[in-house]
Amino acid sequence: MSYLVIDHLTRSYAGRPVVQDLSLSVERGTFLALLGPSGCGKTTTLRMIAGLDTPDGGEIRVDGRNITGVAPHKRRMGVVFQSYALFPHMSIGSNVAFGLRMHGLAGGERRRRMAEAIALVGLADHTDKRPRQLSGGQQQRVALARALAIRPDVLLLDEPLSALDAKLRKDLREEMRGILRRAGATTVFVTHDQAEALSIADVVAVMNQGRIEQIGAPEEIFERPSTPFVASFVGRSASFTGIVEDGAVRVEGGAVLHGNGLPASGPVRIVVRPHRIRVLAEGDGAQNALSGTIAALDYTGELVEIIVDTPTGRVPVNVATADAAWHRYGAGQTIRVGWDVADTLVFPA
Amino acid sequence: MTSRRAGWLLCLPAFAILAAAFVWPMLLLARMSLNQTSDTGVLIPALSVATYGRLAADPFTWQLTRDSLVMSAGTASIAVLLAYPMTLFLFRTQSRFRTLLAVAAIAPLLVSGTARVIGWLTILGDGGLVNALLGLLWLPRQHLFNNWTGVWIGLTESVMPYTVLTLLAGFGRLDQRLEEAAATLGAAPLHRFWLVTFPLTLPAVTAAWSLGFVLSVSAFITPHLMGGGRVFVLATEIYDAATQTLDWPAAAALSVYSLVLLLLIFIAQGAVSKRLAG
């Protein structure tokens, strides 16, 4: 049986639905990422699990217990807030020991558990400092230690890395994953950053407008998006609309594209990931091919993204920069690009 | 011109006004306090501290000091105690009446002190609202005016808007997330308040209390009118010495004494809040 179960959860603010009939379940020890654009209801969902917000309908169960009506201080949820919400008037040690104190742990045991949690995040030398004396990354780790110290049933992280700069974010992401693995905590992580969600989570739930669009392993979400929203929100993609005719799709500009699982007729949307598209050399063929002119080259380091304008629409193509071959390409050149039928995602339009 | 010098120059008008309207009169007052009064009440120009000596030897001066300090500390404390929950509510409420409520809380500032006292008379007077209600309930009537009770009630009310404003400004650094964090860590509502919210508002509380205290010490209209001539504090005594007995050196000396007293209390308060903030 699943450890954390969210059952038909609903919440609206002033008549505007924020979370709509949301259901999901998480196994013990699993790291779940709630991924979605801002305003999709992911933070509200997290706050309802923590008990800081009350659902209008539905149920939240942990380990079979219904906790929907339980006050937040009786829930044992460890929460790391986006702003960390460290107590500014307390030392790092007191911050981490706060939850232990509230759970009635006395003297030696409290000190031992506090030291253990602070050591887990590698801040043992900073126990007596105040939060404002620490850097953003250190504060984030204190918040994590404080939440983990009470050995929560579920650890809830609300965009815990969003206040940090890009480099630190990536380092801390890996570190945090390591810490949580060691702690064995069941974790729900809210983020709008798809790279973060894909790299850190065991399971990703993509949310949009208060609903879950797709839930699955990171690779599944990325390679087999089940809705156009997931395809466009997670990762970059080329997207065309067309009409099914004679088992193929006639797209704008007259080209014909092939795909698996096409409907018998009617309008469809075709989505292709840039890393599945390749540049076709002279005489090369592909199951789906388009020709166009290079609009721009977007150099990002390991990859260069070639933006190709075709009569059908704009197509981004990823080319590795490991060899210098990409220097051949320049804006204004005519180019042919192609991809396989298996990499063609088809959605009803 | 450096920005430092520009800064000083910009302060100049304020300094000038302060010098003309405060420092100069205070110096005149200090000078006056060194004059003497003959037994027949005639002003004798002199340079002596005899007036201070006379006041220090008079037990009434010490009674005035004690009563003034007790009254000011008491009214400031009651005002902060009453204002705190109200201000916390004002600070947090999402109600669309929030602005209206805030205006209502500081509305007494818009009314003149005299009008306020007359208002209180209709409520607290022997034939006022409170006693009428007590009468209806067959309870004994109370004297709530022209005595210390009246002065405490009136002063507390007149000081409260200032404490509300000071607390409201000081609550700026309160973050709702901190209480939520405390909740998720297992703190019940009362614990959240005592361990998180209250400590963070302590600087605002001491600031509000000090302001209330200073305003109460220097308050004249309320003790004068609501005390009905039966309540004696430093401010009323200065007024009587200056206008009734025409003992100007004594009035001046009491003024200087009050000022020094306030300064000492301010320094003490500064030291305390520095330790709180540290």
Side-chain angles (χ1 to χ4, degrees):
Chain A
M1 195 180 80
S2 292
Y3 185 65
L4 170 68
V5 177
I6 294 172
D7 201 2
H8 299 289
L9 209 61
T10 304
R11 177 75 170 111
S12 52
Y13 290 123
R16 197 177 62 87
V18 178
V19 173
Q20 304 186 54
D21 197 28
L22 185 137
S23 298
L24 59 84
S25 51
V26 186
E27 300 303 322
R28 190 191 290 269
T30 299
F31 198 131
L32 170 83
L34 283 180
L35 172 67
S38 52
C40 73
K42 57 193 192 298
T43 295
T44 304
T45 305
L46 193 85
R47 288 176 60 81
M48 287 192 285
I49 301 173
L52 300 171
D53 203 331
T54 316
D56 298 330
E59 237 180 64
I60 301 167
R61 289 190 297 273
V62 172
D63 210 6
R65 279 175 295 126
N66 180 359
I67 58 160
T68 318
V70 177
H73 62 282
K74 291 176 182 159
R75 279 195 191 195
R76 249 192 144 83
M77 295 282 167
V79 182
V80 174
F81 292 84
Q82 190 169 10
S83 60
Y84 313 141
L86 299 177
F87 306 128
H89 57 299
M90 295 183 197
S91 69
I92 301 313
S94 306
N95 262 281
V96 175
F98 186 88
L100 302 171
R101 191 171 150 200
M102 292 302 110
H103 283 94
L105 264 76
E109 174 68 2
R110 184 156 92 206
R111 268 195 301 280
R112 198 184 61 70
R113 289 265 297 268
M114 175 197 85
E116 189 183 289
I118 294 179
L120 186 70
V121 298
L123 288 174
D125 297 341
H126 302 277
T127 307
D128 296 324
K129 289 189 182 164
R130 291 291 171 99
R132 64 167 179 276
Q133 291 170 285
L134 302 187
S135 69
Q138 289 171 326
Q139 289 185 25
Q140 198 271 344
R141 283 185 284 169
V142 174
L144 194 59
R146 184 177 68 175
L148 282 172
I150 60 168
R151 294 184 186 154
D153 291 344
V154 181
L155 185 66
L156 305 169
L157 310 171
D158 185 10
E159 307 249 8
L161 301 170
S162 65
L164 306 169
D165 60 70
K167 171 87 176 75
L168 190 61
R169 208 145 122 182
K170 196 156 185 314
D171 292 348
L172 218 58
R173 187 160 94 194
E174 282 150 25
E175 192 181 319
M176 200 167 79
R177 191 178 166 85
I179 291 168
L180 296 177
R181 278 269 169 282
R182 264 173 281 152
T186 307
T187 306
V188 179
F189 177 95
V190 159
T191 182
H192 66 270
D193 182 334
Q194 47 110 358
E196 206 165 273
L198 295 181
S199 80
I200 205 168
D202 303 316
V203 180
V204 177
V206 182
M207 282 186 73
N208 182 34
Q209 294 181 345
R211 289 196 170 88
I212 290 184
E213 293 266 335
Q214 187 178 0
I215 183 161
E219 193 185 350
E220 191 183 328
I221 297 286
F222 188 75
E223 299 289 356
R224 291 184 296 282
S226 62
T227 69
F229 175 82
V230 175
S232 64
F233 187 74
V234 182
R236 307 245 307 141
S237 52
S239 168
F240 322 102
T241 50
I243 310 281
V244 179
E245 279 174 15
D246 307 327
V249 184
R250 181 169 298 278
V251 290
E252 210 176 316
V256 174
L257 300 175
H258 303 276
N260 292 329
L262 288 176
S265 64
V268 289
R269 173 175 293 276
I270 284 183
V271 173
V272 195
R273 296 285 191 207
H275 72 292
R276 296 288 180 182
I277 305 174
R278 57 186 189 273
V279 177
L280 302 177
E282 201 74 33
D284 249 5
Q287 287 165 317
N288 283 318
L290 291 171
S291 50
T293 50
I294 296 177
L297 293 166
D298 190 359
Y299 177 78
T300 60
E302 291 96 344
L303 291 174
V304 63
E305 190 169 84
I306 304 177
I307 317 277
V308 183
D309 272 338
T310 73
T312 309
R314 195 156 255 214
V315 182
V317 187
N318 286 346
V319 174
T321 55
D323 58 9
W326 68 275
H327 284 292
R328 291 195 305 247
Y329 306 114
Q333 279 177 19
T334 308
I335 192 173
R336 279 173 67 238
V337 296
W339 64 92
D340 296 343
V341 165
D343 298 327
T344 310
L345 305 165
V346 181
F347 301 104
Chain B
M1 187 163 46
T2 66
S3 62
R4 216 184 150 80
R5 276 180 59 192
W8 281 106
L9 270 177
L10 281 171
C11 290
L12 216 55
F15 280 140
I17 291 170
L18 209 62
F22 178 70
V23 179
W24 179 241
M26 281 317 293
L27 287 175
L28 286 181
L29 214 59
R31 174 68 193 88
M32 175 59 78
S33 72
L34 299 176
N35 289 333
Q36 284 179 305
T37 318
S38 77
D39 294 338
T40 52
V42 178
L43 184 72
I44 307 165
L47 264 179
S48 94
V49 291
T51 308
Y52 287 97
R54 175 160 61 89
L55 289 170
D58 187 349
F60 186 56
T61 310
W62 300 109
Q63 191 197 320
L64 284 177
T65 307
R66 196 199 60 209
D67 288 351
S68 283
L69 295 182
V70 169
M71 172 192 77
S72 306
T75 52
S77 304
I78 297 171
V80 170
L81 227 55
L82 294 175
Y84 191 95
M86 193 168 99
T87 313
L88 198 59
F89 171 77
L90 266 182
F91 180 73
R92 292 205 164 143
T93 184
Q94 306 282 326
S95 161
R96 57 209 167 96
F97 299 115
R98 185 174 190 252
T99 315
L100 202 70
L101 291 171
V103 170
I106 58 172
L109 290 178
L110 307 174
V111 184
S112 95
T114 322
R116 205 157 54 211
V117 169
I118 293 166
W120 275 122
L121 184 61
T122 65
I123 296 170
L124 301 177
D126 286 347
L129 184 69
V130 174
N131 275 316
L133 287 175
L134 287 174
L136 280 178
L137 298 168
W138 300 96
L139 292 168
R141 285 168 184 262
Q142 303 289 326
H143 289 297
L144 302 170
F145 211 84
N146 292 336
N147 56 19
W148 276 109
T149 313
V151 174
W152 277 65
I153 293 173
L155 257 189
T156 302
E157 186 247 9
S158 74
V159 159
M160 247 180 83
Y162 295 98
T163 55
V164 168
L165 283 177
T166 316
L167 288 173
L168 207 52
F171 285 176
R173 56 182 240 165
L174 267 188
D175 179 359
Q176 184 86 53
R177 292 276 174 278
L178 294 177
E179 274 202 34
E180 292 185 350
T184 61
L185 291 165
L190 264 180
H191 276 131
R192 284 174 230 163
F193 178 76
W194 278 117
L195 298 173
V196 177
T197 307
F198 186 69
L200 289 173
T201 57
L202 219 46
V205 169
T206 59
W209 190 88
S210 315
L211 185 66
F213 182 86
V214 170
L215 289 171
S216 293
V217 168
S218 52
F220 166 69
I221 292 177
T222 308
H224 182 67
L225 294 179
M226 292 185 78
R230 274 166 237 163
V231 164
F232 304 100
V233 289
L234 285 168
T236 57
E237 191 56 22
I238 292 167
Y239 176 82
D240 284 345
T243 64
Q244 308 297 309
T245 57
L246 296 179
D247 187 350
W248 287 9
L254 278 173
S255 302
V256 172
Y257 169 62
S258 308
L259 187 73
V260 171
L261 210 60
L262 278 184
L263 274 179
L264 287 177
I265 286 161
F266 247 113
I267 291 167
Q269 190 266 330
V272 168
S273 54
K274 209 169 184 175
R275 282 192 55 176
L276 284 178

